[in-house]
Amino acid sequence: MSDPGSKTSEGTAPPSGSLAPLIRALHSRDMEALSKLRHSLRTPLNQIIGYSEMLMESAEENNIGGVLVDLKRIHTSGGQLLALINDALAPWKIETGKIDFAGLRRDMRTPLNAVIGYAELCLDEANAGKHEDLVKDLEKILKAGKNLFALFESTSYPDQIDIGSPTGDLGIAGDVTLGAINPPAIPVTTAEDFGVTAEPMPTAHILAVDDDEMNRDMLVRRLQKLSHEVTEAGTGREALGKLKDGNFDLVLLDILMPDLDGFQTLEFMKADPRLKHIPVIMLTALDDVESTVRCIEAGAEDYVPKPFNPTVLRARITASLEKKRLRDQEQAYLAQLQVERSKSERLLLNVLPKAIAERLKAGQRTIVDSFIDSTVLFADIVGFTRIASKQSPHRTVQLLNEIFSGFDRIAEQLELEKIKTIGDAYMMVSGVPVMRSDHAEACANAAFEMLEAVRVFNRRHQLDWSIRIGMNSGPVVAGIIGTKKFSYDLWGDTVNIASRMESHGQPGKIQISEITMKLLGNKFDYQSLGEIDVKSTKPMPAYLLRRKDEKK
């Protein structure tokens, strides 16, 4: 016999359905080629068994008893063919050194003829009864049966392959048989056999990926019958495109596909943060353990061999969707937890400085610190009692909130720490709780910004509000007060003197102590006010702070 890859004696090339390329590879004990050979033979069997199962269900539902008996015969014959192929091409048979295609061809002829014959009979009856849905599926069964018949009747491969031949020749041994094989029919499996209850499945959006149109059609119809929304893809690249554009709950992915196979498609999915959490069930006629392991290692949720049992497929889909539901629920809980945590942190930061809030979150309960260098600022609205008496409480609070919110923005921009508001007074500090060398200058800049904010506020509302500002520098003690409605506060003479500088100050002016003036140096101008009386201490010098370009 001529080389199976060459032209025949008549000069014509082998048929396109030839198995020669796959068979030729087997002489080197290529287990992958053996798996692909089983895949090529089992693909039409998947179609025969799958469509016959769906037709039997349809015939029972529509009370078409005339074709039901023959459909069961087709299904049984398909099961016999599958058992023959699985036995003849089992991986352990490679140890014998020979694969007997002559015996396999002979044993398969009877059940294969039964598939074709009964399909033709059913087709005639369906046409006579004008059952168009049955006709389409029976034509697909007939086509699959003839495709399988053409593969085995092809003369482009030998009767027997000698595995591991030193010369690589494909020997012929027509007299060797596999022995009598009498495989049982595929049993009808019920949901109860797999512990699946009769409760309805949760509906989902599923992407079905298979390069074989009939396989895809069977899968889609089976899934739609389970009330799922199904999208089809014929290649791995098409599947990736649809995954990025759509929102899917599950992917059913064939392994052997041209261009981009199922393994590569799965790897692309798991490498994409947007797709990695979508569960994937691999569907294939490959049945070797290595393929199963590779799928699971790559991130597949499960693995179902073809031709698949619809009850098994249903159970695996249900399990995968339930896992995804739980994962989605977990992610939703985590997202909600993060939202609540962010709210809590924002609330905490509205009450406490960030550095102090971090220490509280780390578990510290008693927080008291001493700071040698800091500058404290107080601002107070002049004549606020008189202002409040002239308008409603709601309007008063609204205006006060607006002006203090402006002070908050200034403190944030200049990285100062707002300590609190007391009625119509506003207190902030620089150098606490984070030390900084320019604490006096930062407070001085904030004071000028606050005066400008009041001028803008007055123009906007046609008012004549005014504030006094007082500043002092020196050591302070800072810490947390309270255990429930806690606050961060300052203590010490530095704080008291800053408050006195404000209360003894002038409207629209910034009054500072001598120590603050010395820290600011020649960056600003000053007007001496002489000594002022300060409660609980002796009189001390005070100064009005001005910018260099400010008119006296």
Side-chain angles (χ1 to χ4, degrees), residues 277-333:
H277 299 298
I278 302 176
V280 178
I281 295 178
M282 308 301 289
L283 297 176
T284 181
L286 294 176
D287 58 357
D288 57 287
V289 175
E290 185 178 342
S291 296
T292 306
V293 172
R294 185 179 172 189
C295 287
I296 302 302
E297 287 180 344
E301 194 74 35
D302 215 329
Y303 181 99
V304 178
K306 294 189 290 188
F308 56 81
N309 183 301
T311 306
V312 175
L313 181 64
R314 180 184 186 276
R316 302 250 170 111
I317 288 175
T318 302
S320 295
L321 290 176
E322 177 62 15
K323 288 179 183 178
K324 182 178 185 297
R325 186 187 68 80
L326 292 174
R327 278 197 297 264
D328 291 345
Q329 193 175 62
E330 180 185 23
Q331 292 301 314
Y333 286 151

Side-chain angles (χ1 to χ4, degrees), residues 421-435:
T421 60
I422 309 169
D424 60 323
Y426 189 98
M427 177 185 178
M428 70 169 66
V429 65
S430 178
V432 176
V434 178
M435 293 183 291

